[in-house]
Every structure is written in C-alpha cells, then in structure tokens.
Amino acid sequence: MMVLSVLRPDAGLFESLAHRARTASVRRLALDVAAGATAVACVFRWHPMASLLIATAATVLFSYGAWGLLDRGCSSLLNKGWPRTANALAALGALSALLGVLGAGGVLLAVWAFALGTWIS
C-alpha cells in the first residue's frame, strides 16, 4: 500500500526538493541523470558560447537525479536489512547532494559572469 505524503506549507528549499525527488518515478530520475550527463558531455565536446552555465546547470540536474535514485536505493536496502550497503549509498547520496550544491553555486556565478560581460576588463 502506498501512502501519499503532503509537503508542509512552510517547507524550505531542501525539503521541497527531497519531497519532489521521493515522489518522482524512477524513470523520471533516471531521465534526469541521463539528460544531465549527456548535456555535460556535449558541452565538453562542442564548447558552446555559454558552456559554463550549461555545464553547471546540467551538473545540478545530474546530481538531483542521482541523489533521488541513491535515496530510493538506500531506503529499499534498509527495508531489506542491508545496513552497510545502505550506508554506502547514503554516503554517495551525500556526495551527490554536495555536487548539486556546488553546481548551483556555479550556475549563480556563471549567470553573474555572463551579466557582467566585459564591464570589468
């Protein structure tokens, strides 16, 4: 039986993202991982004009999907009684979340650098 949970109205950004990832389908999370990895690979291959912005945004997408899949796997393994493997997936999930936070910071810096343009030279 599936229990639907409702997000609190005063939830913060991280709680909202976690709720969204936990309610998304595995197919959607895998699509996020694949799209993010493909976009980063394309940026490294073709070097478009806004490559820093595209690469960091794709990194955020990749890490969000990876964190969602790792969180889903961790909870599944805990239910099956495999705590060591679940702890390893939790550690990988924490690294994925850190990568996402760093990628979000990169997006903000890339937007700032793009907005500044050549004002300061």
Side-chain angles (χ1 to χ4, degrees):
M1 184 169 120
M2 186 172 168
V3 177
L4 296 176
S5 61
V6 178
L7 188 62
R8 298 180 311 143
D10 61 341
L13 175 65
F14 295 118
E15 191 175 350
S16 299
L17 288 173
H19 180 266
R20 184 174 171 151
R22 288 179 179 138
T23 56
S25 68
V26 173
R27 181 176 289 153
R28 170 62 193 256
L29 295 172
L31 182 66
D32 288 346
V33 169
T38 303
V40 168
C42 289
V43 164
F44 285 136
R45 171 70 176 102
W46 288 300
H47 302 291
M49 192 70 163
S51 62
L52 182 63
L53 179 64
I54 296 168
T56 54
T59 301
V60 171
L61 183 66
F62 172 81
S63 63
Y64 173 73
W67 179 84
L69 289 173
L70 289 168
D71 184 57
R72 186 97 28 109
C74 180
S75 62
S76 173
L77 288 174
L78 278 175
N79 290 338
K80 292 179 181 177
W82 293 25
R84 286 187 182 170
T85 310
N87 288 339
L89 287 183
L92 286 174
L95 287 175
S96 179
L98 177 65
L99 179 67
V101 169
L102 291 174
V107 168
L108 292 176
L109 288 175
V111 167
W112 181 54
F114 187 72
L116 272 178
T118 58
W119 287 0
I120 299 174
S121 53

